[in-house]
Amino acid sequence: MSAAPLTVIAIITAKEGQEAALRALQEKLVVETRAEDGCLRYELNQSLDDGRILIFVEIWETEEKWRAHIDGGALANFAAAGGRELIAERVIHRMALVA
């Protein structure tokens, strides 16, 4: 794993009719995650073409810090609140800046 900054794009599709509930939980997730060690950027965007699609744009100091986030409290809180049950599909892209 590299010590370079890691960019992550997480594309989340809500289950039909669950957009508002999922977005509310994700907004709480954003607040909690921004306080985590190594988080440089963590924002949530919603598609204008399909409101079920919510996209996180993340930048972490290192991949190790992102992996700590994956196993950390903010995502555990999201799961405990039922967030995972509102998701129809999830696609995660880990990326390295090239230019």
Side-chain angles (χ1 to χ4, degrees):
M1 285 184 252
S2 170
L6 174 72
T7 299
V8 176
I9 303 296
I11 305 167
I12 312 297
T13 304
K15 289 182 178 176
E16 193 70 40
Q18 298 300 319
E19 302 88 342
L22 179 59
R23 181 174 159 177
L25 290 177
Q26 288 176 324
E27 288 177 8
K28 290 179 184 178
L29 176 61
V30 168
V31 171
E32 292 179 26
T33 299
R34 285 182 177 165
E36 290 182 345
D37 181 42
C39 180
L40 302 177
R41 177 180 180 185
Y42 198 83
E43 65 182 39
L44 177 63
N45 300 272
Q46 189 167 23
S47 172
L48 296 174
D49 300 314
D50 182 346
R52 292 178 51 223
I53 299 174
L54 293 131
I55 301 171
F56 286 98
V57 178
E58 312 173 29
I59 300 178
W60 294 87
E61 285 180 7
T62 64
E63 183 162 352
E64 291 80 6
K65 301 234 174 155
W66 173 71
R67 290 194 180 278
H69 159 69
I70 295 301
D71 296 329
L75 280 173
N77 292 341
F78 174 80
R84 291 185 178 148
E85 288 78 26
L86 305 175
I87 297 172
E89 183 179 9
R90 178 182 69 174
V91 178
I92 308 295
H93 297 278
R94 296 170 27 254
M95 301 179 293
L97 182 65
V98 295

